[in-house]
Amino acid sequence: MQNRRLHRKPDDVVKAKQDRFLSLFAPPTGVALKFPAASTIVAQGEPVQSVFRVVSGYVRLCIYTEEGHRRIVSFHGAGSVVGMSQLSSPDWKVSVEAVTSCVLDAVPKSVIEDRMDSERDVREGALITLHSDVEMREAHLVMMAILPATERLHAFLECFAKMRGSDGLVALPMCRRDIGDYLGLSMETVSRSFSALRESERIETCGAEKFRLTEGRPFETNLDHCHAA
Amino acid sequence: MQNRRLHRKPDDVVKAKQDRFLSLFAPPTGVALKFPAASTIVAQGEPVQSVFRVVSGYVRLCIYTEEGHRRIVSFHGAGSVVGMSQLSSPDWKVSVEAVTSCVLDAVPKSVIEDRMDSERDVREGALITLHSDVEMREAHLVMMAILPATERLHAFLECFAKMRGSDGLVALPMCRRDIGDYLGLSMETVSRSFSALRESERIETCGAEKFRLTEGRPFETNLDHCHAA
DNA sequence: CGTACTGTTGAGTACTGTCAACCGACGTGG
DNA sequence: CCACGTCGGTTGACAGTACTCAACAGTACG
C-alpha cells in the first residue's frame, strides 16, 4: 500500500536519502514502543508529538466523521512511516490504530523538524515519503471511483500481496469490516466479492484470512458499467 | 477546495512562512503564462519542470487510467499552488488542464528546490502546501465513501462557495461532467442531484452554472443507508 | 456447552449507471 | 433572417450493483 511505484529516479540514489531519513527512527533518536492488537496508538485530535515507523505488525489510519462513520485511509506494515503528513498540523487529523499487535519506532516531531533543517538528505527523504502519501491517496481515489466492488477487492489484494512481497499464501491481518472501510464497501459486499473471486478462480483461499492470487490470467475486467469515456 | 481547515497554528505565523514561499511565484523567479480554456497545461507523463500557482481562472488536476477513464483529483482557483507533490517525481502523475482560460505563475522546479534548501520559511511554506494536499485528498476520500450522490454534490458546492468566499451567487466554472468525474458520479446523476437540491430548497439556481446555498437549515442528512457504525 | 465474534449467504430495496429522448443556447451557413 | 447542427444540461425508463436486514455457520473462549 506504500511506496508502490513512486520515484523512477535511480533507485540507489533515492535509497541513500531515504536511508538517512529512516535512520532517525533507530536509536538514539527513535524509541521502540509496543502496542497490543486493536489498541489506539494515537487518537484523532491528539496533539502531534511524534512520527512513527512500523517495525512489525500492521496499523491502520482511520478518519472518524462527526456522524460516527469510520473511513480507513491506509494500512501500513513493517517499514512504513506514519505521520509525516501531520507535521505542519498541531493535532492528528487521523487515528492510528494497531490492527495486530505491533512495534513502532517513535521519533519526536521536533527531532524530525530539526534534522530536516540541518540535513539535506533527511529533507529529501521526508519529501519522498510525503510525495508517496499524496500519490497513494490519489490512487485510492481513482480506484474508489472507477472500480466495481469485486475489482476493488482484487486490486487491494494484489496491492497487499505486492507489499508483502510474497508470491505464496498471504495472510490478511485485518478483518472484513476493515477492508470494507478501506474500500468504501460494506462488510457483506467484501465477503461476497471474496466468494466471487474464489468462484471465478482469480484467487485461492485457505480459511478466511489466507489467500493466494491466481496469476497470469488475462482477466477481462468488467468495467462496462463505469461512467466516463 | 484548497486550504480548507488546515493548520490551526496562529494564522499570522503560518501566513508569514507561506508568504515567503509564495513570493517565489512572483518575478523574478516566476513567470506568468496564459492558457486558453480547455487547454492542457501539462500532460500526465511529461517531465516535471515547473511548479505553478494559479493567478486567475480555474484548473483541474486529472488522472487518466489505461482504460481511458478520467478522474478529477482537484480543482484549483486563484492562489492555489499546483505541482508541489510532483517534486520528487521525474514526471507528472497527473494532467493539469485549464477549465477556464487562465493565467498561471510558473517557477522552475530547480528554483523551488534550491530555495527550499536555503530558506527555512520556504521549506515550511512548501510543507504546509504538501500537507494541505494530503489532507484534501483524505477529505475527498472520506466523502466519496460515505456520502450519497446528493450529499456529495452539496458538500462540493459548499466547499466551492467557501473557497470563493462569496456568500451570494456563485458561478461554477466547470461542467457537469467535470463535477461528476470529481465526485465519482455520472454526469446524469450530478444533474439529478442538482434538481434534487433545488427541489428540496437547499440551493437556488440561476441558469445551469450559477447557484446560491440556502443556509441556516438544520438539514437532516439522510445517511441511513450508509454502512459502518 | 453456551456465548460472542467473525464471516457467509439470502432476500428485498434503494441508489446510481446506462441508454435515450428532449430542450435550449449558440454558432454557422445558406 | 432563419434553418441546421452541435453541445451542455435535464429528464425518463430500465437495469445492475451494492446496501440493509436477517439468518446461519464456524471458531474461540470461558
Side-chain angles (χ1 to χ4, degrees), chain A residues 50 60 65 144 156:
Chain A
S50 304
R60 59 181 177 235
T65 67
M144 297 267 306
F156 170 74

Side-chain angles (χ1 to χ4, degrees), chain B:
Chain B
M1 226 102 329
Q2 187 74 333
N3 293 330
R4 286 198 303 115
R5 33 148 199 201
L6 274 198
H7 30 74
R8 293 161 208 169
K9 281 185 188 176
D11 276 349
D12 44 342
V13 175
V14 169
K15 196 153 184 316
K17 298 174 191 219
Q18 279 285 52
D19 279 349
R20 187 67 201 95
F21 168 56
L22 295 178
S23 71
L24 293 181
F25 292 88
T29 41
V31 186
L33 303 173
K34 188 165 170 55
F35 297 89
S39 61
T40 300
I41 295 165
V42 295
Q44 197 170 329
E46 272 180 21
V48 176
Q49 290 165 339
S50 306
V51 175
F52 301 92
R53 184 166 187 228
V54 181
V55 174
S56 68
Y58 285 89
V59 302
R60 58 178 178 239
L61 264 54
C62 309
I63 293 182
Y64 293 91
T65 66
E66 302 89 23
E67 299 92 14
H69 292 277
R70 185 186 72 164
R71 197 66 237 292
I72 294 184
V73 172
S74 53
F75 293 104
H76 297 268
S80 274
V81 173
V82 172
M84 286 302 291
S85 64
Q86 313 290 319
L87 272 190
S88 50
S89 164
D91 40 42
W92 287 83
K93 301 293 188 318
V94 298
S95 290
V96 184
E97 301 173 358
V99 176
T100 63
S101 84
C102 56
V103 176
L104 307 189
D105 286 335
V107 179
K109 172 177 171 165
S110 57
V111 169
I112 297 280
E113 288 174 335
D114 290 350
R115 296 304 181 95
M116 279 179 68
D117 271 350
S118 56
E119 295 184 41
R120 186 164 210 250
D121 281 354
V122 169
R123 190 151 61 231
E124 298 208 10
L127 275 183
I128 288 169
T129 298
L130 271 173
H131 179 204
S132 152
D133 277 355
V134 172
E135 216 177 74
M136 199 168 52
R137 279 153 185 72
E138 283 176 357
H140 195 169
L141 218 42
V142 171
M143 179 192 70
M144 296 267 306
I146 287 176
L147 299 181
T150 308
E151 295 310 318
R152 249 185 257 184
L153 177 62
H154 189 260
F156 170 75
L157 295 177
E158 247 182 348
C159 199
F160 190 79
K162 201 177 301 170
M163 174 169 113
R164 288 288 307 272
S166 77
D167 330 299
L169 225 49
V170 180
L172 285 170
M174 70 294 281
C175 68
R176 299 290 188 262
R177 172 169 294 282
D178 282 354
I179 299 176
D181 285 348
Y182 177 73
L183 298 177
L185 300 169
S186 68
M187 195 189 74
E188 292 91 334
T189 300
V190 172
S191 184
R192 272 185 257 271
S193 299
F194 261 105
S195 303
L197 288 176
R198 197 185 315 119
E199 274 153 34
S200 59
E201 295 180 331
R202 295 174 60 192
I203 63 169
E204 292 165 19
T205 58
C206 170
E209 61 247 346
K210 283 183 193 156
F211 74 95
R212 187 203 322 272
L213 290 167
T214 314
E215 339 200 26
R217 295 181 61 266
F219 99 89
E220 319 88 47
T221 318
N222 178 14
L223 291 171
D224 298 346
H225 72 291
C226 293
H227 64 278

